[in-house]
Amino acid sequence: MSHLSLSEAEVLALSPDAASTKAAQGLTSLTRWPLCGYRASAESADSSAVWGECQGSGGSPYQTQVALSPLAFKCSCPSRKFPCKHSLALLLLYARQQVPAQDSPPDWVQHWLDNRQAQAEKKTAKAAQKTTQAPANPAKAAQQKQQRTQARWEKIDLGLQELERWLHDLIAQGLAPACAAGETVQRWEHLAARMVDAQASGVAAVLQRASTLNHDPKALLPTLAHLQLLIDATRQREQLPAPLLADLMAALGWPQDKAEVCAHTPAHEDDWLVLGHTLQEREGRMLERQVWLHGLHSGHTAWLLDYSPAGRAFEQAWACGHRYRCALHFFPSAAPLRATLAPNSNPAALAPATAAPIPALAAVGTDALQLLSARSGANPLQFTQPLWGYHAQVVLAEGQWLACLHPVLHAAPSASGPYTLPLQLDDAQAWQLLALSGGQPLHLFGRWDGLQWLPLSAWLPQGSTTTPTHWQLCWHHLGDIA
């Protein structure tokens, strides 16, 4: 029975934070695992798994199980981190080839694997049925869909009219007095709840973001302008081209059916490099995961957005700095960015991208600000945007961490110096990133939200400093995003 290749570096790349890494390494003694084993199936990669029982502080051991292809985790411990320390420790033991091979897993593991297989088959069948099965009465179905759409637009219009009146009152009295008086959080929350009632959850999210900025007029103004832009775009939706209308609906929080996206858009197969990911807890303990990918052949950047109830594993694990061969479908947009995994596409993990080819990374980094400007211009309704920083330097100035971008590659001919962008990093992460760079230029990738840049991964040049042959991942963001 062959042992599926998995290195310790690959395992640690899955860790949600440094604390989990440290805790997992403290559980890598086989004495803590009275039961453990793995099965690598030659017939079906989907049935390959590693499992174990880890003795904790309670009377019963924690049952930990990991599906190997694609990676998925489940553990009976109460941890809300994904993967938990037990899953990481078990995979570390497996990577060190300390887990014995078994002919068959215990019943509790087999039951989980069977359920995963059944759910995958059910999902595939449902997607196929949805795309091929025509409604009994197409004309009636189309009419009902149009009526639902019209009813939703009417609700949104009424909600945005109320929001616009409030915005005009706020601007009329001036932002400085309003911020000095401290516009109450309850007022923002009331408006956000009103937008949810109006079926405009995307607008509610913008209001919730604005509530954290109501003490700073300079930071608050762009967010209020974005709200007005959404209002104006909604009012003129009949004149918008189809791609921009799709962007408007997405910005308003209109549900987007992944099966329908896959049915009506082409699949983009590529070797996708994982540039970074974040994990946030939403209302109701719902976990939101954002994964950023870069197509090494196509040059496309993809943004995957997944949700999972707390305690339940995501369907696919993505390790930062690793490559996966799979197909993605991009959601309709004037500047396609958000994507979803194609049905029946089982991401095949390739060799770790410790030697990312310089053409793939330098090509997207050379004109980073121009690319950001063009993407934002094509879809001004999208807050979140990818941003590369080629030859970037992390500096601390007056208590604020900044990224200085190389003037030769980023600035206009008339510019006198480098561009600086505020970073969304705590001190511990920023100092670590600065130390790892060793004073060398970094190739940074991160998420730009219109106000700050959140670095998600950093790459160091290998070979010649002036003409590097490849770039190596040296750092990636760990921890949840508040």
mmCIF file of all heavy atoms in Angstrom, residues 217-263:
data_model
loop_
_atom_site.group_PDB
_atom_site.id
_atom_site.type_symbol
_atom_site.label_atom_id
_atom_site.label_comp_id
_atom_site.label_asym_id
_atom_site.label_seq_id
_atom_site.Cartn_x
_atom_site.Cartn_y
_atom_site.Cartn_z
ATOM 1 N N PRO A 217 -13.836 61.071 9.818
ATOM 2 C CA PRO A 217 -14.479 61.557 8.583
ATOM 3 C C PRO A 217 -13.716 61.197 7.314
ATOM 4 O O PRO A 217 -14.325 60.870 6.296
ATOM 5 C CB PRO A 217 -14.513 63.077 8.793
ATOM 6 C CG PRO A 217 -14.403 63.275 10.258
ATOM 7 C CD PRO A 217 -13.562 62.153 10.774
ATOM 8 N N LYS A 218 -12.385 61.220 7.375
ATOM 9 C CA LYS A 218 -11.588 60.938 6.182
ATOM 10 C C LYS A 218 -11.789 59.502 5.711
ATOM 11 O O LYS A 218 -11.844 59.230 4.503
ATOM 12 C CB LYS A 218 -10.110 61.203 6.483
ATOM 13 C CG LYS A 218 -9.189 61.024 5.285
ATOM 14 C CD LYS A 218 -7.746 61.341 5.647
ATOM 15 C CE LYS A 218 -6.813 61.146 4.464
ATOM 16 N NZ LYS A 218 -5.393 61.433 4.825
ATOM 17 N N ALA A 219 -11.888 58.557 6.641
ATOM 18 C CA ALA A 219 -12.090 57.157 6.277
ATOM 19 C C ALA A 219 -13.546 56.866 5.963
ATOM 20 O O ALA A 219 -13.851 56.004 5.140
ATOM 21 C CB ALA A 219 -11.601 56.254 7.408
ATOM 22 N N LEU A 220 -14.460 57.603 6.610
ATOM 23 C CA LEU A 220 -15.887 57.338 6.435
ATOM 24 C C LEU A 220 -16.402 57.812 5.082
ATOM 25 O O LEU A 220 -17.264 57.172 4.477
ATOM 26 C CB LEU A 220 -16.671 58.018 7.563
ATOM 27 C CG LEU A 220 -18.192 57.841 7.554
ATOM 28 C CD1 LEU A 220 -18.564 56.377 7.665
ATOM 29 C CD2 LEU A 220 -18.817 58.649 8.696
ATOM 30 N N LEU A 221 -15.865 58.914 4.575
ATOM 31 C CA LEU A 221 -16.397 59.517 3.354
ATOM 32 C C LEU A 221 -16.380 58.563 2.157
ATOM 33 O O LEU A 221 -17.385 58.452 1.441
ATOM 34 C CB LEU A 221 -15.633 60.805 3.031
ATOM 35 C CG LEU A 221 -16.162 61.601 1.831
ATOM 36 C CD1 LEU A 221 -17.613 62.002 2.047
ATOM 37 C CD2 LEU A 221 -15.297 62.836 1.586
ATOM 38 N N PRO A 222 -15.273 57.831 1.862
ATOM 39 C CA PRO A 222 -15.298 56.906 0.720
ATOM 40 C C PRO A 222 -16.363 55.815 0.865
ATOM 41 O O PRO A 222 -16.958 55.388 -0.130
ATOM 42 C CB PRO A 222 -13.890 56.301 0.716
ATOM 43 C CG PRO A 222 -13.048 57.276 1.452
ATOM 44 C CD PRO A 222 -13.927 57.860 2.491
ATOM 45 N N THR A 223 -16.614 55.378 2.095
ATOM 46 C CA THR A 223 -17.630 54.345 2.299
ATOM 47 C C THR A 223 -19.016 54.897 2.031
ATOM 48 O O THR A 223 -19.862 54.226 1.414
ATOM 49 C CB THR A 223 -17.542 53.798 3.735
ATOM 50 O OG1 THR A 223 -16.203 53.351 3.988
ATOM 51 C CG2 THR A 223 -18.494 52.631 3.931
ATOM 52 N N LEU A 224 -19.277 56.129 2.474
ATOM 53 C CA LEU A 224 -20.568 56.758 2.188
ATOM 54 C C LEU A 224 -20.735 57.010 0.689
ATOM 55 O O LEU A 224 -21.831 56.867 0.138
ATOM 56 C CB LEU A 224 -20.684 58.070 2.963
ATOM 57 C CG LEU A 224 -20.635 57.973 4.491
ATOM 58 C CD1 LEU A 224 -20.813 59.342 5.116
ATOM 59 C CD2 LEU A 224 -21.685 57.000 5.001
ATOM 60 N N ALA A 225 -19.625 57.354 0.025
ATOM 61 C CA ALA A 225 -19.682 57.548 -1.429
ATOM 62 C C ALA A 225 -20.008 56.246 -2.136
ATOM 63 O O ALA A 225 -20.739 56.232 -3.137
ATOM 64 C CB ALA A 225 -18.349 58.114 -1.920
ATOM 65 N N HIS A 226 -19.486 55.150 -1.607
ATOM 66 C CA HIS A 226 -19.786 53.845 -2.190
ATOM 67 C C HIS A 226 -21.269 53.516 -2.037
ATOM 68 O O HIS A 226 -21.890 52.956 -2.956
ATOM 69 C CB HIS A 226 -18.931 52.780 -1.514
ATOM 70 C CG HIS A 226 -19.072 51.422 -2.106
ATOM 71 N ND1 HIS A 226 -18.448 51.042 -3.276
ATOM 72 C CD2 HIS A 226 -19.791 50.333 -1.711
ATOM 73 C CE1 HIS A 226 -18.761 49.793 -3.569
ATOM 74 N NE2 HIS A 226 -19.573 49.337 -2.628
ATOM 75 N N LEU A 227 -21.851 53.873 -0.898
ATOM 76 C CA LEU A 227 -23.284 53.659 -0.706
ATOM 77 C C LEU A 227 -24.091 54.465 -1.717
ATOM 78 O O LEU A 227 -25.064 53.972 -2.299
ATOM 79 C CB LEU A 227 -23.678 54.051 0.718
ATOM 80 C CG LEU A 227 -23.233 53.099 1.841
ATOM 81 C CD1 LEU A 227 -23.466 53.740 3.200
ATOM 82 C CD2 LEU A 227 -23.985 51.776 1.739
ATOM 83 N N GLN A 228 -23.690 55.714 -1.946
ATOM 84 C CA GLN A 228 -24.404 56.543 -2.925
ATOM 85 C C GLN A 228 -24.251 55.975 -4.331
ATOM 86 O O GLN A 228 -25.189 56.022 -5.141
ATOM 87 C CB GLN A 228 -23.882 57.981 -2.875
ATOM 88 C CG GLN A 228 -24.667 58.962 -3.742
ATOM 89 C CD GLN A 228 -26.123 59.097 -3.303
ATOM 90 O OE1 GLN A 228 -26.393 59.354 -2.131
ATOM 91 N NE2 GLN A 228 -27.053 58.905 -4.239
ATOM 92 N N LEU A 229 -23.082 55.417 -4.617
ATOM 93 C CA LEU A 229 -22.860 54.797 -5.922
ATOM 94 C C LEU A 229 -23.809 53.611 -6.125
ATOM 95 O O LEU A 229 -24.370 53.432 -7.212
ATOM 96 C CB LEU A 229 -21.403 54.349 -6.049
ATOM 97 C CG LEU A 229 -20.985 53.713 -7.376
ATOM 98 C CD1 LEU A 229 -21.113 54.726 -8.510
ATOM 99 C CD2 LEU A 229 -19.552 53.201 -7.295
ATOM 100 N N LEU A 230 -23.994 52.808 -5.085
ATOM 101 C CA LEU A 230 -24.927 51.685 -5.168
ATOM 102 C C LEU A 230 -26.354 52.172 -5.384
ATOM 103 O O LEU A 230 -27.120 51.585 -6.166
ATOM 104 C CB LEU A 230 -24.854 50.849 -3.889
ATOM 105 C CG LEU A 230 -23.620 49.977 -3.704
ATOM 106 C CD1 LEU A 230 -23.606 49.344 -2.316
ATOM 107 C CD2 LEU A 230 -23.565 48.884 -4.765
ATOM 108 N N ILE A 231 -26.712 53.259 -4.706
ATOM 109 C CA ILE A 231 -28.050 53.820 -4.867
ATOM 110 C C ILE A 231 -28.252 54.303 -6.304
ATOM 111 O O ILE A 231 -29.274 54.016 -6.945
ATOM 112 C CB ILE A 231 -28.267 54.972 -3.860
ATOM 113 C CG1 ILE A 231 -28.270 54.423 -2.430
ATOM 114 C CG2 ILE A 231 -29.560 55.717 -4.160
ATOM 115 C CD1 ILE A 231 -28.243 55.499 -1.357
ATOM 116 N N ASP A 232 -27.287 55.048 -6.831
ATOM 117 C CA ASP A 232 -27.403 55.575 -8.197
ATOM 118 C C ASP A 232 -27.429 54.455 -9.227
ATOM 119 O O ASP A 232 -28.191 54.508 -10.204
ATOM 120 C CB ASP A 232 -26.243 56.527 -8.490
ATOM 121 C CG ASP A 232 -26.303 57.799 -7.650
ATOM 122 O OD1 ASP A 232 -27.398 58.116 -7.147
ATOM 123 O OD2 ASP A 232 -25.256 58.454 -7.482
ATOM 124 N N ALA A 233 -26.596 53.440 -9.031
ATOM 125 C CA ALA A 233 -26.567 52.324 -9.979
ATOM 126 C C ALA A 233 -27.888 51.562 -9.967
ATOM 127 O O ALA A 233 -28.383 51.143 -11.021
ATOM 128 C CB ALA A 233 -25.418 51.382 -9.634
ATOM 129 N N THR A 234 -28.473 51.400 -8.783
ATOM 130 C CA THR A 234 -29.763 50.708 -8.697
ATOM 131 C C THR A 234 -30.851 51.501 -9.411
ATOM 132 O O THR A 234 -31.698 50.935 -10.106
ATOM 133 C CB THR A 234 -30.144 50.496 -7.223
ATOM 134 O OG1 THR A 234 -29.121 49.742 -6.577
ATOM 135 C CG2 THR A 234 -31.461 49.752 -7.102
ATOM 136 N N ARG A 235 -30.809 52.810 -9.267
ATOM 137 C CA ARG A 235 -31.804 53.661 -9.916
ATOM 138 C C ARG A 235 -31.690 53.583 -11.447
ATOM 139 O O ARG A 235 -32.690 53.690 -12.162
ATOM 140 C CB ARG A 235 -31.623 55.097 -9.431
ATOM 141 C CG ARG A 235 -32.684 56.066 -9.947
ATOM 142 C CD ARG A 235 -32.451 57.464 -9.413
ATOM 143 N NE ARG A 235 -32.636 57.526 -7.971
ATOM 144 C CZ ARG A 235 -31.722 57.922 -7.110
ATOM 145 N NH1 ARG A 235 -30.518 58.292 -7.541
ATOM 146 N NH2 ARG A 235 -31.977 57.972 -5.814
ATOM 147 N N GLN A 236 -30.464 53.371 -11.950
ATOM 148 C CA GLN A 236 -30.248 53.345 -13.403
ATOM 149 C C GLN A 236 -29.989 51.925 -13.918
ATOM 150 O O GLN A 236 -29.368 51.750 -14.955
ATOM 151 C CB GLN A 236 -29.056 54.238 -13.741
ATOM 152 C CG GLN A 236 -29.212 55.682 -13.301
ATOM 153 C CD GLN A 236 -27.974 56.514 -13.575
ATOM 154 O OE1 GLN A 236 -27.380 56.433 -14.648
ATOM 155 N NE2 GLN A 236 -27.571 57.304 -12.599
ATOM 156 N N ARG A 237 -30.491 50.932 -13.220
ATOM 157 C CA ARG A 237 -30.177 49.543 -13.572
ATOM 158 C C ARG A 237 -30.658 49.149 -14.962
ATOM 159 O O ARG A 237 -30.077 48.282 -15.596
ATOM 160 C CB ARG A 237 -30.767 48.593 -12.533
ATOM 161 C CG ARG A 237 -32.278 48.663 -12.383
ATOM 162 C CD ARG A 237 -32.750 47.693 -11.303
ATOM 163 N NE ARG A 237 -34.183 47.770 -11.057
ATOM 164 C CZ ARG A 237 -34.750 48.561 -10.158
ATOM 165 N NH1 ARG A 237 -33.988 49.357 -9.427
ATOM 166 N NH2 ARG A 237 -36.070 48.571 -10.003
ATOM 167 N N GLU A 238 -31.706 49.778 -15.444
ATOM 168 C CA GLU A 238 -32.229 49.428 -16.771
ATOM 169 C C GLU A 238 -31.237 49.794 -17.873
ATOM 170 O O GLU A 238 -31.284 49.231 -18.969
ATOM 171 C CB GLU A 238 -33.566 50.137 -17.025
ATOM 172 C CG GLU A 238 -34.671 49.766 -16.049
ATOM 173 C CD GLU A 238 -35.078 48.308 -16.157
ATOM 174 O OE1 GLU A 238 -34.815 47.698 -17.210
ATOM 175 O OE2 GLU A 238 -35.654 47.773 -15.189
ATOM 176 N N GLN A 239 -30.345 50.750 -17.595
ATOM 177 C CA GLN A 239 -29.386 51.193 -18.609
ATOM 178 C C GLN A 239 -28.037 50.487 -18.491
ATOM 179 O O GLN A 239 -27.154 50.689 -19.334
ATOM 180 C CB GLN A 239 -29.146 52.718 -18.487
ATOM 181 C CG GLN A 239 -30.300 53.587 -18.976
ATOM 182 C CD GLN A 239 -31.471 53.598 -18.015
ATOM 183 O OE1 GLN A 239 -31.267 53.767 -16.819
ATOM 184 N NE2 GLN A 239 -32.683 53.409 -18.524
ATOM 185 N N LEU A 240 -27.855 49.655 -17.486
ATOM 186 C CA LEU A 240 -26.561 49.010 -17.281
ATOM 187 C C LEU A 240 -26.395 47.819 -18.214
ATOM 188 O O LEU A 240 -27.345 47.065 -18.442
ATOM 189 C CB LEU A 240 -26.431 48.529 -15.837
ATOM 190 C CG LEU A 240 -26.434 49.589 -14.731
ATOM 191 C CD1 LEU A 240 -26.308 48.924 -13.368
ATOM 192 C CD2 LEU A 240 -25.299 50.586 -14.940
ATOM 193 N N PRO A 241 -25.195 47.630 -18.774
ATOM 194 C CA PRO A 241 -24.928 46.401 -19.541
ATOM 195 C C PRO A 241 -25.012 45.181 -18.633
ATOM 196 O O PRO A 241 -24.841 45.282 -17.409
ATOM 197 C CB PRO A 241 -23.520 46.619 -20.090
ATOM 198 C CG PRO A 241 -22.905 47.645 -19.191
ATOM 199 C CD PRO A 241 -24.019 48.514 -18.706
ATOM 200 N N ALA A 242 -25.259 44.019 -19.220
ATOM 201 C CA ALA A 242 -25.494 42.798 -18.447
ATOM 202 C C ALA A 242 -24.372 42.489 -17.455
ATOM 203 O O ALA A 242 -24.653 42.156 -16.288
ATOM 204 C CB ALA A 242 -25.725 41.629 -19.395
ATOM 205 N N PRO A 243 -23.084 42.574 -17.837
ATOM 206 C CA PRO A 243 -22.031 42.260 -16.852
ATOM 207 C C PRO A 243 -22.047 43.196 -15.646
ATOM 208 O O PRO A 243 -21.861 42.761 -14.517
ATOM 209 C CB PRO A 243 -20.736 42.407 -17.663
ATOM 210 C CG PRO A 243 -21.147 42.212 -19.085
ATOM 211 C CD PRO A 243 -22.500 42.825 -19.176
ATOM 212 N N LEU A 244 -22.281 44.502 -15.892
ATOM 213 C CA LEU A 244 -22.286 45.447 -14.779
ATOM 214 C C LEU A 244 -23.556 45.284 -13.936
ATOM 215 O O LEU A 244 -23.537 45.501 -12.720
ATOM 216 C CB LEU A 244 -22.179 46.876 -15.306
ATOM 217 C CG LEU A 244 -21.751 47.954 -14.285
ATOM 218 C CD1 LEU A 244 -20.463 47.535 -13.582
ATOM 219 C CD2 LEU A 244 -21.588 49.300 -14.959
ATOM 220 N N LEU A 245 -24.656 44.885 -14.564
ATOM 221 C CA LEU A 245 -25.867 44.594 -13.802
ATOM 222 C C LEU A 245 -25.626 43.400 -12.876
ATOM 223 O O LEU A 245 -26.090 43.388 -11.730
ATOM 224 C CB LEU A 245 -27.033 44.310 -14.741
ATOM 225 C CG LEU A 245 -28.367 43.945 -14.071
ATOM 226 C CD1 LEU A 245 -28.842 45.073 -13.158
ATOM 227 C CD2 LEU A 245 -29.428 43.605 -15.109
ATOM 228 N N ALA A 246 -24.889 42.413 -13.366
ATOM 229 C CA ALA A 246 -24.540 41.265 -12.521
ATOM 230 C C ALA A 246 -23.682 41.719 -11.339
ATOM 231 O O ALA A 246 -23.854 41.235 -10.214
ATOM 232 C CB ALA A 246 -23.799 40.213 -13.344
ATOM 233 N N ASP A 247 -22.767 42.661 -11.569
ATOM 234 C CA ASP A 247 -21.950 43.198 -10.483
ATOM 235 C C ASP A 247 -22.810 43.944 -9.470
ATOM 236 O O ASP A 247 -22.581 43.851 -8.257
ATOM 237 C CB ASP A 247 -20.880 44.140 -11.045
ATOM 238 C CG ASP A 247 -19.789 43.396 -11.803
ATOM 239 O OD1 ASP A 247 -19.445 42.278 -11.389
ATOM 240 O OD2 ASP A 247 -19.290 43.933 -12.801
ATOM 241 N N LEU A 248 -23.795 44.704 -9.955
ATOM 242 C CA LEU A 248 -24.690 45.427 -9.054
ATOM 243 C C LEU A 248 -25.475 44.452 -8.184
ATOM 244 O O LEU A 248 -25.584 44.646 -6.964
ATOM 245 C CB LEU A 248 -25.643 46.302 -9.863
ATOM 246 C CG LEU A 248 -26.766 46.971 -9.063
ATOM 247 C CD1 LEU A 248 -26.194 47.907 -8.002
ATOM 248 C CD2 LEU A 248 -27.723 47.732 -9.993
ATOM 249 N N MET A 249 -26.026 43.417 -8.793
ATOM 250 C CA MET A 249 -26.806 42.444 -8.038
ATOM 251 C C MET A 249 -25.943 41.745 -6.995
ATOM 252 O O MET A 249 -26.375 41.501 -5.863
ATOM 253 C CB MET A 249 -27.447 41.442 -8.995
ATOM 254 C CG MET A 249 -28.467 42.079 -9.942
ATOM 255 S SD MET A 249 -29.064 40.971 -11.237
ATOM 256 C CE MET A 249 -30.119 39.874 -10.290
ATOM 257 N N ALA A 250 -24.696 41.447 -7.346
ATOM 258 C CA ALA A 250 -23.784 40.832 -6.389
ATOM 259 C C ALA A 250 -23.474 41.786 -5.240
ATOM 260 O O ALA A 250 -23.430 41.384 -4.073
ATOM 261 C CB ALA A 250 -22.501 40.406 -7.083
ATOM 262 N N ALA A 251 -23.262 43.078 -5.554
ATOM 263 C CA ALA A 251 -22.961 44.067 -4.524
ATOM 264 C C ALA A 251 -24.139 44.285 -3.584
ATOM 265 O O ALA A 251 -23.956 44.573 -2.403
ATOM 266 C CB ALA A 251 -22.556 45.390 -5.177
ATOM 267 N N LEU A 252 -25.352 44.132 -4.095
ATOM 268 C CA LEU A 252 -26.551 44.289 -3.268
ATOM 269 C C LEU A 252 -26.806 43.064 -2.395
ATOM 270 O O LEU A 252 -27.618 43.119 -1.472
ATOM 271 C CB LEU A 252 -27.780 44.547 -4.152
ATOM 272 C CG LEU A 252 -27.814 45.886 -4.899
ATOM 273 C CD1 LEU A 252 -28.991 45.931 -5.861
ATOM 274 C CD2 LEU A 252 -27.873 47.055 -3.922
ATOM 275 N N GLY A 253 -26.125 41.966 -2.685
ATOM 276 C CA GLY A 253 -26.319 40.751 -1.914
ATOM 277 C C GLY A 253 -27.290 39.783 -2.536
ATOM 278 O O GLY A 253 -27.847 38.917 -1.854
ATOM 279 N N TRP A 254 -27.496 39.906 -3.846
ATOM 280 C CA TRP A 254 -28.403 39.015 -4.554
ATOM 281 C C TRP A 254 -27.813 37.605 -4.566
ATOM 282 O O TRP A 254 -26.662 37.412 -4.929
ATOM 283 C CB TRP A 254 -28.584 39.503 -5.989
ATOM 284 C CG TRP A 254 -29.920 39.179 -6.607
ATOM 285 C CD1 TRP A 254 -30.335 37.957 -7.009
ATOM 286 C CD2 TRP A 254 -30.979 40.090 -6.887
ATOM 287 N NE1 TRP A 254 -31.598 38.027 -7.540
ATOM 288 C CE2 TRP A 254 -32.020 39.334 -7.476
ATOM 289 C CE3 TRP A 254 -31.161 41.457 -6.714
ATOM 290 C CZ2 TRP A 254 -33.217 39.905 -7.891
ATOM 291 C CZ3 TRP A 254 -32.343 42.024 -7.125
ATOM 292 C CH2 TRP A 254 -33.357 41.266 -7.699
ATOM 293 N N PRO A 255 -28.604 36.600 -4.177
ATOM 294 C CA PRO A 255 -28.063 35.221 -4.186
ATOM 295 C C PRO A 255 -27.619 34.813 -5.581
ATOM 296 O O PRO A 255 -28.297 35.086 -6.574
ATOM 297 C CB PRO A 255 -29.255 34.372 -3.718
ATOM 298 C CG PRO A 255 -30.159 35.320 -3.004
ATOM 299 C CD PRO A 255 -29.991 36.647 -3.688
ATOM 300 N N GLN A 256 -26.479 34.152 -5.646
ATOM 301 C CA GLN A 256 -25.924 33.695 -6.913
ATOM 302 C C GLN A 256 -25.815 32.177 -6.873
ATOM 303 O O GLN A 256 -25.113 31.619 -6.033
ATOM 304 C CB GLN A 256 -24.554 34.336 -7.162
ATOM 305 C CG GLN A 256 -24.631 35.856 -7.301
ATOM 306 C CD GLN A 256 -23.266 36.500 -7.436
ATOM 307 O OE1 GLN A 256 -22.509 36.569 -6.473
ATOM 308 N NE2 GLN A 256 -22.947 36.967 -8.615
ATOM 309 N N ASP A 257 -26.526 31.526 -7.751
ATOM 310 C CA ASP A 257 -26.573 30.069 -7.797
ATOM 311 C C ASP A 257 -25.312 29.538 -8.469
ATOM 312 O O ASP A 257 -25.077 29.780 -9.658
ATOM 313 C CB ASP A 257 -27.817 29.612 -8.561
ATOM 314 C CG ASP A 257 -28.085 28.129 -8.387
ATOM 315 O OD1 ASP A 257 -27.109 27.363 -8.326
ATOM 316 O OD2 ASP A 257 -29.270 27.739 -8.340
ATOM 317 N N LYS A 258 -24.481 28.801 -7.700
ATOM 318 C CA LYS A 258 -23.238 28.281 -8.262
ATOM 319 C C LYS A 258 -23.502 27.289 -9.390
ATOM 320 O O LYS A 258 -22.759 27.253 -10.387
ATOM 321 C CB LYS A 258 -22.408 27.622 -7.157
ATOM 322 C CG LYS A 258 -21.852 28.601 -6.145
ATOM 323 C CD LYS A 258 -20.955 27.896 -5.135
ATOM 324 C CE LYS A 258 -20.358 28.883 -4.145
ATOM 325 N NZ LYS A 258 -19.469 28.218 -3.164
ATOM 326 N N ALA A 259 -24.562 26.468 -9.250
ATOM 327 C CA ALA A 259 -24.873 25.495 -10.300
ATOM 328 C C ALA A 259 -25.232 26.203 -11.600
ATOM 329 O O ALA A 259 -24.827 25.777 -12.689
ATOM 330 C CB ALA A 259 -26.022 24.594 -9.847
ATOM 331 N N GLU A 260 -25.951 27.298 -11.500
ATOM 332 C CA GLU A 260 -26.327 28.053 -12.697
ATOM 333 C C GLU A 260 -25.105 28.723 -13.314
ATOM 334 O O GLU A 260 -24.973 28.785 -14.539
ATOM 335 C CB GLU A 260 -27.379 29.103 -12.325
ATOM 336 C CG GLU A 260 -28.005 29.797 -13.521
ATOM 337 C CD GLU A 260 -29.165 30.680 -13.142
ATOM 338 O OE1 GLU A 260 -29.761 30.457 -12.080
ATOM 339 O OE2 GLU A 260 -29.477 31.610 -13.915
ATOM 340 N N VAL A 261 -24.203 29.223 -12.458
ATOM 341 C CA VAL A 261 -22.964 29.824 -12.962
ATOM 342 C C VAL A 261 -22.163 28.793 -13.741
ATOM 343 O O VAL A 261 -21.661 29.058 -14.846
ATOM 344 C CB VAL A 261 -22.141 30.402 -11.800
ATOM 345 C CG1 VAL A 261 -20.739 30.792 -12.275
ATOM 346 C CG2 VAL A 261 -22.834 31.601 -11.193
ATOM 347 N N CYS A 262 -22.047 27.590 -13.189
ATOM 348 C CA CYS A 262 -21.284 26.527 -13.848
ATOM 349 C C CYS A 262 -21.937 26.108 -15.156
ATOM 350 O O CYS A 262 -21.250 25.710 -16.111
ATOM 351 C CB CYS A 262 -21.145 25.323 -12.919
ATOM 352 S SG CYS A 262 -20.119 25.632 -11.457
ATOM 353 N N ALA A 263 -23.265 26.181 -15.213
ATOM 354 C CA ALA A 263 -23.980 25.743 -16.410
ATOM 355 C C ALA A 263 -23.867 26.742 -17.556
ATOM 356 O O ALA A 263 -23.947 26.351 -18.732
ATOM 357 C CB ALA A 263 -25.445 25.495 -16.080
#
